[in-house]
Every structure is written in C-alpha cells, then in structure tokens.
Amino acid sequence: MRTQVGIIGAGPAGLMLAQLLHLQGIDSIIIERKPREDIEGTVKAGVLEQFTVDLLNEIGVGDRMMREGHFHDGIELQFSGKRHRIDLRGLTGGQRITVYPQHEVIIDLVNARFNTGRDIIFNVSEVSLHDVDTKEPKIRFKQNGETHEIQCDFIAGCDGFHGPSRLAIPDSIRKEHLHLYAHGWLGILTDAKQANPELIYSNHDRGFALLSTRTSTLQRHYISVDYHDDIANWSDDRIWSELHARTAMDGWTLPDGPINSKNIVQMRSYVLETMNYGRLFIAGDAAHTVPPTGAKGLNLAASDIKILATGLAEFYKSGSEDILDRYAEIALRRIWKAERFSYWMTSMLHRNPNHDSFERNIQLTELDYVCTSVAGSKTLAENYVGLPIQWENKSLIETK
Ligand code: RFL
Ligand code: PHB
C-alpha cells in the first residue's frame, strides 16, 4: 500500500487530520487497533473549546454538534458551602464552551471519512514504524493474521498515550516529562435529570466532585478517588452518597438515577518534547496528556492537528518544510500553557492528603481569590475557553 500520510490511530487526532488533509487533496491511510464499535462507544471527553468547534465546522463535521450540543456561557466553582459563577462569556469577550461527547465527535468524523470514499483499517495489531528518518517511512501491521506494509511520505503518530509511535524516536533524543497524581477520577453516566444549567466543580472536605452533562436525561459526573482503588469497591449507593455529600447546598438536591456505566481513570501530566523525528510527527495524547480537570486533552489534539495539517499542506503545495520544521515549537507553546492550567486547576480543586491545615486554607483562599477578583476570574476564564495558538504567522492556522 502507498499513501502520502500514514496515520496511526483513529481517535479525534487521527480522524481530524485525515479530514483536514482530504480537504487539501492529500491522501491518507488510517489504521486503528480497535473495532469501529469500540471507538464509537468509549465515553471520554465532554467539553469542546470554541477553537475545536470552529475546526469541526470548518472540516464539515459540525452539523450534529451544533444541533445537539449544549452551549455554556459559564461554569460554577463550589467550596466552603457556597457556589460562585465564572462568567466565561463576559470575561472573555464572548467565548463559550460546548458540551458534546467525544464519542459523538468520533461518530461524526468516522462518517465523514467514509463519505470521502476512503477507508479506516480497523483491528490491526503488531504495528511497527520503519525508516522514519528517511524520505520513505513505512508502517507495518497485521490484520487477520496477514502482514501489511504502508509506504508513505510522512507518518502521523496519533495513537494515544499507550501507542507505539513515539517509541520510534530514539531513546537518546526522546525528551519526556511525567507527573503522576495520587488520585484518579471515578466517572459515571447516569439516567438522571440535569443537575444544573452549567458544570459545577466542587472542592469539598470529602474530596473533589464534578457535575457535567450529556443530554437532558443523561448526566456525566465524577468524584476523585484513590487511583489504586478498585471500582468493585464502589457500589452505586456509595457513589451517590459521595456525590450528594460533595455537592450539597442548602435548599438544593442533586437529582440521581440509575448508573449505567462507571470506571476509574488515572490522572497524569505528560509532555513529549520531541514531537517530531525525521518524517514522523506525534500528535494528541500520544505526545501529551493532562489531568481532565481543565478539559483540555481533546482540545489540544485539535490544535496540534491544525498546525500539522497546515505544515503538510504547505509542503505539498510548495515543497517548503518551514511549518513542519517548527511544528513541535509552535504546538508546545500552547501545550505547556494547557499543562500549566490543568495542573493548577487540579491542585486548586482536589484535596491533597499531605496538606497541613495551613496549606488547606491557602487552597481555599486561592479559590476565594479566583472567584472574587476580576483578574483571578479572567485568568481562569481565558484558559478554560482556550488560549490562542501563538505564532507570528498565526493567521495561517486560525480556523475560519
Ligand atoms: P485517543 O483518543 O487515545 O486515540 C488514539 C487512538 O489510537 C488507537 N491506537 C492504535 N491504533 C493503531 N495501532 C496501535 N498500535 C494503536 N494504539 C492505540 C487507539 O485505539 C485510539 O483509538 O487519542 P487522541 O486522538 O490524541 O485524542 C485525545 C483525547 O481522547 C483525550 O485527550 C481526551 O479524551 C481527554 N479528555 C478531555 N479532553 C477535552 O478536551 N475535554 C474534556 O472535557 C475531556 N474530558 C478527557 C475527559 C479524558 C478522560 N479520560 C478518559 C482520561 C474526561 C476523561 C474522564
Ligand atoms: C465531561 O463532561 O466529561 C467533562 C467535563 C469537564 C471536565 C472533564 C470532563 O473538566
């Protein structure tokens, strides 16, 4: 098989890249480890920045999102028994966030891919990358017991945190930063009424809780737990009792209902600084992960892809590798800011078991400051809705 860009991974990063390239007349082949039903059914992110919404609209996959998504002008922070609204829209000159589930984004992107007449090769195994430091890189993989090879001009490693792509960068030049957190997030999907018109992030003495939504009858909520805890220790009653306790307010009751899925995910911050090596470009969670507290992961995948697709389009148009050469530098400036924000939100909202009473009070005071100072609220708001890509040629990569 031969293509211009070989894409490993059909997550949001890989699928958005394929669509952007297609619109520039650039061919790609996507390979994916899982079956289609799995990628279309895995519950992950919920919050999209305006940049991501604009990008999905630009590539022609935004219709359902614009019809079925929920548009939120603010979020609420709860601590010391009170709730405070952060007016995202007012503080950022009109920007808002969109709550639309990641697996619906995937469904829309997969449909768009098939509508272009191009395939996605599902259920692949034993994926390996070859000759990435030459002009003829190759991907080998197995499907149904048979070995296949894709010869390409470029490889895009969009295979998430556990994928093999970044390991094709030699150890001697691969620079990585990893920070692990003591807690994980236990997430549920529940058939219940919407708790609040906007998301609520709560820092309670018993621990963190987040109330989010999917539809008017399906809600997505989270509580922080010890990452090593086993989901089998969490009966539905125990989960509801924690959610009720951590979000309690006088005169307000959290609507509950049957829980139809629950799991625990680890929180980590990770940055791969060598996002490209020869003709291999790494994007999305394969290159960086953030704790979900800032709702940034998928949104960072979108900005990586926009920069990478712009670079590839320039290469095929003029032969210039200027943008490709600067891909990591441009992307990392935004990535580090989102890493900083996600780390800050996590530290401010989660109880740290090692904190003494002084540090606990400093944490609550930080929240009080953020909610009562215009500068504090604005800092949170501009980061939450998403910072711009900073580059002197920014107009080249702005979404329409
Ligand atoms: P993905 O989604 O992990 O996709 C990678 C794909 O690559 C495939 N793959 C392979 N394919 C072929 N060969 C191999 N050897 C392969 N190995 C792996 C995988 O099967 C998969 O299909 O990475 P991508 O595309 O970079 O997208 C990243 C996002 O998924 C992630 O950042 C977000 O889900 C993070 N996230 C959130 N991001 C937001 O922007 N807003 C949010 O509100 C938000 N909430 C969340 C989140 C992540 C969460 N979890 C599950 C950690 C909430 C949670 C709970
Ligand atoms: C979600 O709805 O899944 C969600 C919302 C906000 C976050 C993380 C996840 O910070």
Side-chain angles (χ1 to χ4, degrees):
M1 281 180 252
R2 155 110 211 128
T3 189
Q4 289 171 298
V5 183
I7 302 176
I8 307 177
L15 292 165
M16 285 191 276
L17 178 62
Q19 189 67 6
L20 268 166
L21 293 178
H22 169 76
L23 294 172
Q24 299 282 343
I26 302 166
D27 187 54
S28 64
I29 293 179
I30 311 177
I31 59 168
E32 166 58 48
R33 187 170 58 90
K34 294 183 182 159
R36 179 174 179 179
E37 312 76 74
D38 277 22
I39 63 161
E40 292 188 339
T42 306
V43 178
K44 281 190 170 178
V47 173
L48 308 181
E49 295 172 356
Q50 193 59 46
F51 174 87
T52 307
V53 168
D54 290 346
L55 181 64
L56 292 169
N57 280 322
E58 179 191 329
I59 62 179
V61 298
D63 287 359
R64 209 160 61 90
M65 169 183 69
M66 298 313 283
R67 275 198 316 274
E68 296 174 15
H70 298 242
F71 305 102
H72 291 198
D73 292 347
I75 57 168
E76 296 198 37
L77 301 184
Q78 177 170 337
F79 56 97
S80 308
K82 291 204 178 71
R83 275 188 202 153
H84 309 257
R85 180 166 188 268
I86 305 287
D87 177 8
L88 297 175
R89 194 161 194 175
L91 289 159
T92 61
Q95 293 201 60
R96 57 187 184 176
I97 51 146
T98 302
V99 181
Y100 185 66
Q102 175 165 337
H103 68 273
E104 302 290 356
V105 173
I106 295 281
I107 290 171
D108 297 341
L109 284 164
V110 168
N111 282 335
R113 173 71 176 176
F114 288 133
N115 287 340
T116 66
R118 300 293 283 130
D119 203 3
I120 299 168
I121 307 177
F122 289 106
N123 299 307
V124 303
S125 60
E126 296 180 41
V127 173
S128 57
L129 294 81
H130 305 268
D131 306 329
V132 294
D133 55 347
T134 73
K135 291 193 170 162
E136 291 168 1
K138 296 163 195 77
I139 305 169
R140 290 197 195 113
F141 65 93
K142 275 199 170 164
Q143 194 198 33
N144 301 326
E146 266 181 52
T147 303
H148 302 270
E149 182 175 278
I150 308 174
Q151 296 168 359
C152 15
D153 299 335
F154 296 95
I155 298 177
C158 302
D159 44 357
F161 184 70
H162 300 285
S165 293
R166 66 171 175 271
L167 301 178
I169 301 175
D171 288 354
S172 56
I173 56 167
R174 204 169 62 236
K175 198 166 166 198
E176 296 171 276
H177 308 271
L178 175 67
H179 179 79
L180 294 174
Y181 300 80
H183 19 244
W185 273 20
L186 188 163
I188 62 161
L189 271 179
T190 172
D191 295 318
K193 282 202 280 190
Q194 197 169 335
N196 194 56
E198 296 174 339
L199 272 56
I200 298 172
Y201 290 82
S202 175
N203 176 332
H204 188 271
D205 284 344
R206 298 184 66 87
F208 168 82
L210 165 60
L211 304 180
S212 183
T213 186
R214 289 294 178 264
T215 67
S216 57
T217 54
L218 183 68
Q219 312 312 324
R220 178 77 167 147
H221 300 327
Y222 299 93
I223 48 174
S224 61
V225 299
D226 182 335
Y227 168 60
H228 296 102
D229 209 339
D230 188 339
I231 194 69
N233 294 328
W234 286 88
S235 67
D236 293 4
D237 283 351
R238 184 175 173 211
I239 295 172
W240 277 121
S241 130
E242 278 304 319
L243 275 166
H244 279 295
R246 295 182 191 190
T247 59
M249 288 282 298
D250 281 347
W252 180 86
T253 317
L254 170 64
D256 54 24
I259 292 178
N260 47 43
S261 86
K262 52 183 169 185
N263 69 336
I264 297 176
V265 293
Q266 185 173 21
M267 311 242 281
R268 70 169 85 74
S269 296
Y270 168 81
V271 181
L272 170 75
E273 283 209 294
T274 346
M275 289 174 72
N276 106 278
Y277 176 65
R279 289 286 181 104
L280 167 66
F281 291 83
I282 311 286
D285 273 20
H288 41 77
T289 59
V290 282
T293 329
K296 287 280 162 265
L298 188 160
N299 294 300
L300 280 182
S303 50
D304 288 358
I305 288 309
K306 181 70 184 173
I307 301 163
L308 180 56
T310 307
L312 290 167
E314 187 199 49
F315 172 83
Y316 283 110
K317 209 163 35 180
S318 68
S320 161
E321 297 190 34
D322 283 359
I323 300 178
L324 287 178
D325 284 344
R326 297 189 55 194
Y327 163 68
E329 177 200 328
I330 302 163
L332 279 164
R333 244 181 122 179
R334 189 171 200 262
I335 291 162
W336 273 115
K337 292 200 182 75
E339 291 283 349
R340 184 200 71 87
F341 175 66
S342 306
Y343 173 84
W344 175 69
M345 285 284 277
T346 304
S347 316
M348 182 168 68
L349 286 161
H350 289 71
R351 289 238 37 196
N352 184 329
N354 301 320
H355 272 179
D356 57 29
S357 63
F358 175 84
E359 289 165 305
R360 172 69 175 149
N361 276 288
I362 291 290
Q363 189 190 42
L364 293 171
T365 305
E366 173 103 26
L367 277 162
D368 188 24
Y369 170 72
V370 162
C371 294
T372 53
S373 143
V374 176
S377 315
K378 221 172 175 156
T379 295
L380 192 151
E382 72 167 358
N383 283 276
Y384 196 87
V385 301
L387 294 172
I389 294 172
Q390 287 174 310
W391 182 37
E392 62 276 17
N393 264 335
K394 201 171 109 209
S395 58
L396 267 182
I397 40 183
E398 267 168 351
T399 53
K400 313 280 175 301

